[in-house]
Amino acid sequence: MGYIELNVLNNQSNLAMGIDLGTTNSLAAVWKDGRPVIVHPEGEAASVPSVIHFPGEDKAPIVGRKGRDLAAASPERTLFSIKRLMGRQAAELGSELAMIPFPVKDGEDGVLRIQVDGKSFTPQELSALILNKVHDHGCRALEEEKPDRVVITVPAYFDDAQRQATRDSARLAGLDVLRIVNEPTAACLAYGLDQNKTGNIAVFDLGGGTFDISVLSIDDGVFKVLSTAGDTHLGGDDFDRVLVNLIVEGLKGQLSEEELSDPGFLTGARLAAERCKCALSSDPEAELHMVLASRGVTFHKTITRDELDELISPLIEKTIDCCRRALSDAGLKPEEVDEVVLVGGSTRVIAVRAAAENFFKRIPHTELNPDEVVALGAAVQAHILTGGSRDMLLLDVIPLSLGLETVGGAISKLVERNSTIPCSVTEGFTTYADNQTGIDFHIVQGEREMVSDCRSLAKFQLKGIPPMPAGMARVAVRFHVDADGVLTVSAREESTGVSTLVEVEPMSGLSDEEVERMLIASIENAAEDFETRRNADLNTEIGTMLTATERSLESVRAALDKETLDDIEAAISASRAATSSESPSGLQAVRDELERATLPLAALLMNNVAKSALSGKRLDEV
Amino acid sequence: MSNCPHCGAELETPLGCGACKVPLATETQCDPFSALGLPPSQAIETSELERLHLKFTRWIHPDYFAASPELRALAEKNTGTLNGALSSLGDPIKRADHLVRALKGPSNTEMKDMPQAFLMEVLEWSESLQEAHESDAGSTERQRAFELLPELEERRSEGMNAINSLLCPLPDAGAEALTSARRELNAIRYLDRALEELETLRLAEAEAR
């Protein structure tokens, strides 16, 4: 029985979507006409900002670009960087808690709860909102197939709990996760397409909030991760923060401590910092400029590229340290790396490029858009997983070692980091007391020698060992890390055959029941699901456009030729007729038609505005 | 070696068939050497293990069976076993450890005693490493610790040679050579820990500069 037969039997849609679920932005891509392409509705930006804005009680959260646009005005009701909260507990977040404008606490199940307007959300649920948005964003660009099967990328450094949380949020979003893939590995797939080389590749991925370095080998179409290292708290946002600090320092005399730590002020400062940083990627110097109209305060400073480089050089040095570690884990010297791939918007910073080039002694690849590479790679993996190709194969690795606690809080490592996954390892254990009938296991993840320094994943007990003298029982524990990097453990007492299979319930994580419950809750809220919401959005938009068109049409009617006028009026009546109960795609078409028909009108108005400005008249006098 | 139940081809690994390119169900837990289609031996090039691993992976990787939950689960399990086999045999130390245990030699928890003279040496390294940790970058204490490096590395490669000759040809189950091999393996663990600490020191030194 070959796999080709299976594909014939399989009547599911053969398309699957690759999703880069980013800390700052998210993107969708699919395989189309023999290559991966980013999918987004025409006329809209490719990426969906990973931002959720809460407009107020009893109002549905606004996700994506609109949410981000609203953040400047009311940052205290907007959530950024939800990805950082995935699989984490309040105590682990430390200074990041300050970045969240809502109360946060751990639930009884160890999963974070973010309290908004009397409701509480887990990071999984919030992330599901973003996944829904980006999936919808991608689907709107696809004509026939709307794939519910997805490949989602995560930083290579994500531990078991974070991967579980990502998988749970996809379930909550109603998506079928074919695979969780490491971001740098996905990037490598995207680049590997056109090359059939043999050699070693380093993927240097500096995003908004995370840094990953992966070393891979390519051999006849098989990509194998040799090692990964990184820092989950290092990225372009940190570069911005360095500039934000300059603003804060500079305004210390003029503003109070309180004003300087106001979220609104900080958002403004962050936007100013980002603008300055981006300008420095092309210009040798740029302005760091911020106006605080409400207080009549202005900050202004010219920053040269050299100054920025010096400010961020400790941060860049950190990335190079990670590169060193990854290479040493892979058993390679920098000169043995044949290709260097740059991923993530922050690799546009010239000093970052230079540092990578200098360390690897190689000019890095930048042919693909660094913001899109990961999503493109996810689409390649989605294509492989839907049976589209047996020529390429991605062998991913587990980023952190898995082990069991032994006597005295030490760790016995069962699966070493950078082992290829899926991976099974069986280890033998025995009893230490006479007639002992149970053995406790504590599973941890991390590289340090002691349990207290590692992340605790689960505790479980093997029960029902028959009474026998100490050391006689033979307990085989099988650790299985699946292809997504998520762990299951089973244990078996071999001298008697007593066997228990234990699903590892992470101590901080959602149980299957909880996911089910949230799923039911979100289905019950289906009235607010995205079709309805999109309909409402489109209706509002069409309404606004109609009012504006009708008002301005009267003032310039005489200046329009008959053909254009008829065209506009036809579009207006079509829009009027449509606003009742049209399907979202129908409404979209109506909206687009109205926009097209009114283009000459808009041009005329713009022209008049320009003329009125020249003649010194106010617009309403035209 | 047995044959494929589907096509009858001779199997190179019990985990899957190269002719049908599908994973096969195995009755018992497959040991690492047979997973890779090899007789137990210490004298194998790691590159040969990697070659076989890749060859078999191309037949049975779960990514090729996403459409069928059953085949996918089997592929996942068998690839897990195959990957586990490479990770337990790919490194010569781990391979030796596996062989000593498989041949009923002492495990590392059963045999902890080391010769007195060796332990005295370990104590000396530990002391100089400890001093180096507590001293500043560039100090003579650090310098002295780094001078240990060539000696430790040489000891490690001697130990590795000793293990290779103790296990080639493969001794009988329960043979005395297994106890000696375990002792050498334990010594290498001490050496590796010291080498790891030296690496930490080196990184700290590099950072200070």
Side-chain angles (χ1 to χ4, degrees):
Chain A
M1 189 166 49
Y3 86 107
I4 294 169
E5 278 174 61
L6 285 162
N7 263 340
V8 175
L9 294 173
N10 168 26
N11 57 6
Q12 264 182 301
S13 145
N14 235 359
L15 194 66
M17 187 182 275
I19 296 181
D20 172 7
L21 181 59
T23 310
T24 326
N25 287 300
S26 298
L27 282 107
V30 297
W31 186 272
K32 212 175 173 182
D33 306 328
R35 65 191 188 94
V37 287
I38 299 288
V39 278
H40 60 91
E42 224 183 293
E44 291 186 38
S47 66
V48 172
S50 307
V51 176
I52 304 178
H53 178 78
F54 294 88
E57 229 167 311
D58 300 324
K59 285 186 191 149
I62 299 169
V63 187
R65 195 157 301 275
K66 274 190 191 159
R68 198 188 62 180
D69 293 345
L70 292 164
S74 51
E76 77 289 350
R77 303 203 59 86
T78 311
L79 274 176
F80 288 88
S81 303
I82 288 141
K83 191 169 171 182
R84 288 188 182 285
L85 310 179
M86 298 286 276
R88 299 275 129 202
Q89 291 185 296
E92 296 169 299
L93 291 170
S95 62
E96 267 171 50
L97 280 176
M99 306 296 281
I100 307 166
F102 300 105
V104 173
K105 65 172 172 64
D106 288 328
E108 275 169 29
D109 49 12
V111 178
L112 274 185
R113 294 291 190 282
I114 296 123
Q115 248 94 28
V116 184
D117 299 328
K119 284 189 205 138
S120 82
F121 297 91
T122 60
Q124 284 88 327
E125 291 169 284
L126 296 169
S127 197
L129 290 177
I130 293 168
L131 270 175
N132 255 334
K133 184 81 184 176
V134 67
H135 176 249
D136 178 46
H137 193 68
C139 281
R140 278 165 55 204
L142 298 172
E143 279 153 21
E144 287 143 31
E145 293 181 278
K146 311 283 182 196
D148 282 339
R149 297 189 298 166
V150 296
V151 169
I152 300 176
T153 59
V154 296
Y157 236 56
F158 257 26
D159 66 21
D160 189 79
Q162 292 166 302
R163 281 163 203 266
Q164 287 267 22
T166 305
R167 218 152 60 166
D168 288 344
S169 51
R171 276 178 66 190
L172 289 171
L175 301 172
D176 178 10
V177 189
L178 291 178
R179 171 67 64 79
I180 305 264
V181 184
N182 290 329
E183 286 159 10
T185 332
C188 211
L189 274 182
Y191 265 109
L193 290 177
D194 313 308
Q195 312 153 327
N196 231 347
K197 288 182 181 166
T198 296
N200 300 312
I201 309 172
V203 182
F204 184 105
D205 178 354
L206 189 62
T210 54
F211 173 67
D212 280 294
I213 171 80
S214 294
V215 183
L216 298 93
S217 70
I218 293 192
D219 190 357
D220 194 21
V222 176
F223 293 77
K224 186 176 176 185
V225 179
L226 301 177
S227 66
T228 77
D231 191 327
T232 51
H233 287 90
L234 181 62
D237 298 349
D238 297 298
F239 297 174
D240 297 343
R241 210 160 294 140
V242 164
L243 293 173
V244 167
N245 286 343
L246 279 186
I247 300 179
V248 170
E249 285 300 315
L251 293 178
K252 265 206 171 132
Q254 301 170 63
L255 295 175
S256 70
E257 277 294 318
E258 216 166 78
E259 287 169 312
L260 285 171
S261 54
D262 173 66
F265 167 77
L266 288 174
T267 305
R270 196 170 64 210
L271 293 173
E274 205 184 323
R275 266 197 308 274
C276 177
K277 177 186 73 178
C278 292
L280 285 173
S281 291
S282 49
D283 306 330
E285 59 175 55
E287 307 301 313
L288 181 58
H289 186 68
M290 185 185 173
V291 181
L292 201 62
S294 58
R295 294 279 283 102
V297 170
T298 305
F299 177 89
H300 185 260
K301 189 174 183 342
T302 304
I303 308 280
T304 66
R305 194 181 286 160
D306 287 347
E307 278 173 307
L308 177 73
D309 290 355
E310 190 170 335
L311 287 168
I312 62 176
S313 79
L315 298 169
I316 294 179
E317 196 44 47
K318 272 194 192 175
T319 67
I320 299 301
D321 284 344
C322 290
C323 293
R324 254 181 226 120
R325 203 163 65 233
L327 279 184
S328 129
D329 279 354
L332 295 176
K333 296 190 184 74
E335 54 271 24
E336 289 172 285
V337 171
D338 303 292
E339 313 272 352
V340 180
V341 171
L342 294 187
V343 182
S346 305
T347 57
R348 291 201 177 91
V349 173
I350 288 166
V352 172
R353 285 192 180 189
E357 184 174 335
N358 186 37
F359 178 74
F360 289 107
K361 307 269 183 294
R362 246 182 240 266
I363 294 172
H365 277 282
T366 49
E367 299 93 310
L368 298 174
N369 179 340
D371 293 317
E372 296 180 351
V373 182
V374 170
L376 292 173
V380 176
Q381 181 65 12
H383 175 64
I384 297 173
L385 285 168
T386 46
S389 164
R390 209 161 168 148
D391 303 332
M392 272 181 296
L393 179 61
L394 167 63
L395 302 183
D396 227 329
V397 298
I398 181 171
L400 300 163
S401 302
L402 284 171
L404 281 178
E405 176 172 0
T406 61
V407 189
I411 293 169
S412 149
K413 279 185 188 166
L414 290 188
V415 183
E416 298 268 356
R417 75 164 185 275
N418 295 327
S419 299
T420 305
I421 51 174
C423 186
S424 301
V425 175
T426 307
E427 190 88 345
F429 292 87
T430 188
T431 48
Y432 51 85
D434 289 345
N435 300 328
Q436 183 184 345
T437 56
I439 301 177
D440 289 328
F441 292 101
H442 180 200
I443 302 168
V444 295
Q445 188 163 31
E447 303 316 312
R448 307 284 293 278
E449 297 266 327
M450 299 304 286
V451 167
S452 51
D453 299 323
C454 290
R455 183 169 172 78
S456 177
L457 284 184
K459 286 182 175 156
F460 70 92
Q461 190 179 42
L462 179 73
K463 286 182 198 155
I465 300 169
M468 55 181 111
M472 289 299 285
R474 293 257 166 263
V475 182
V477 179
R478 183 176 157 104
F479 277 51
H480 181 80
V481 181
D482 69 17
D484 294 337
V486 173
L487 171 75
T488 12
V489 178
S490 56
R492 196 180 158 83
E493 203 291 299
E494 289 181 326
S495 65
T496 60
V498 173
S499 174
T500 43
L501 177 69
V502 189
E503 176 87 17
V504 179
E505 289 287 336
M507 292 203 295
S508 69
L510 299 175
S511 67
D512 276 0
E513 292 76 36
E514 282 175 293
V515 172
E516 285 303 322
R517 205 173 57 233
M518 288 175 179
L519 213 51
I520 291 163
S522 67
I523 290 165
E524 280 169 356
N525 290 335
E528 283 190 0
D529 91 346
F530 67 80
E531 272 215 351
T532 325
R533 218 175 305 157
R534 250 191 77 212
N535 250 347
D537 284 354
L538 282 167
N539 269 329
T540 318
E541 202 177 347
I542 292 173
T544 318
M545 284 167 77
L546 275 176
T547 319
T549 306
E550 282 168 342
R551 190 189 299 148
S552 43
L553 193 59
E554 289 320 307
S555 63
V556 293
R557 185 179 280 272
L560 289 165
D561 61 62
K562 176 153 185 347
E563 204 178 311
T564 311
L565 209 54
D566 288 350
D567 198 19
I568 294 176
E569 271 167 355
I572 290 178
S573 52
S575 301
R576 281 244 178 69
T579 46
S580 45
S581 58
E582 191 75 41
S583 72
S585 55
L587 272 184
Q588 183 73 44
V590 165
R591 193 212 79 96
D592 294 348
E593 172 59 17
L594 184 60
E595 187 176 60
R596 188 200 59 75
T598 52
L599 271 177
L601 176 64
L604 191 67
L605 285 172
M606 284 306 291
N607 215 1
N608 283 355
V609 170
K611 274 187 206 149
S612 70
L614 287 174
S615 63
K617 279 187 185 169
R618 277 176 35 227
L619 179 57
D620 52 0
E621 293 167 352
V622 176
Chain B
M1 243 332 131
S2 52
N3 295 75
C4 172
H6 303 304
C7 72
E10 198 174 315
L11 293 177
E12 290 179 61
T13 168
L15 298 173
C17 172
C20 311
K21 296 204 167 32
V22 284
L24 297 172
T26 51
E27 274 171 34
T28 49
Q29 187 66 41
C30 192
D31 83 89
F33 279 105
S34 61
L36 287 161
L38 292 167
S41 162
Q42 175 68 11
I44 305 171
E45 288 294 325
T46 303
S47 58
E48 174 64 4
L49 292 171
E50 284 169 349
R51 190 187 65 81
L52 289 166
H53 169 261
L54 200 56
K55 181 177 173 185
F56 301 156
T57 300
R58 280 183 169 284
W59 302 343
I60 63 167
H61 196 277
D63 281 6
Y64 300 138
F65 307 99
S68 153
E70 270 162 53
L71 266 187
R72 202 204 126 90
L74 183 59
E76 170 98 29
K77 177 169 172 274
N78 286 4
T79 304
T81 306
L82 186 62
N83 288 336
L86 183 67
S87 86
S88 19
L89 303 181
D91 169 58
I93 301 285
K94 286 191 176 175
R95 197 183 315 151
D97 176 75
H98 174 83
L99 283 170
V100 170
R101 276 190 296 173
L103 292 169
K104 311 260 183 280
S107 76
N108 57 358
T109 44
E110 282 160 1
M111 204 191 83
K112 284 184 174 150
D113 56 317
M114 295 297 289
Q116 194 66 29
F118 178 78
L119 290 176
M120 289 304 288
E121 275 180 292
V122 173
L123 212 60
E124 269 175 46
W125 309 330
S126 306
E127 266 173 25
S128 37
L129 283 168
Q130 187 62 33
E131 279 171 20
H133 270 298
E134 286 161 4
S135 315
D136 297 330
S139 61
T140 49
E141 283 84 358
R142 289 266 177 113
Q143 209 46 50
R144 213 173 299 139
F146 289 127
E147 280 162 14
L148 282 172
L149 190 63
E151 188 200 332
L152 293 179
E153 278 175 342
E154 199 190 323
R155 296 280 298 264
R156 193 185 190 281
S157 92
E158 281 170 12
M160 204 58 247
N161 289 340
I163 290 167
N164 287 341
S165 55
L166 281 164
L167 296 178
C168 298
L170 213 55
D172 295 329
E176 187 52 36
L178 296 171
T179 311
S180 311
R182 174 58 68 193
R183 190 168 294 126
E184 294 291 346
L185 280 170
N186 283 350
I188 284 185
R189 283 178 55 192
Y190 281 103
L191 285 160
D192 279 348
R193 197 162 304 162
L195 285 166
E196 216 168 274
E197 279 178 42
L198 268 179
E199 178 64 14
T200 315
L201 268 182
R202 195 189 62 75
L203 286 176
E205 193 81 4
E207 204 163 293
R209 263 190 276 117

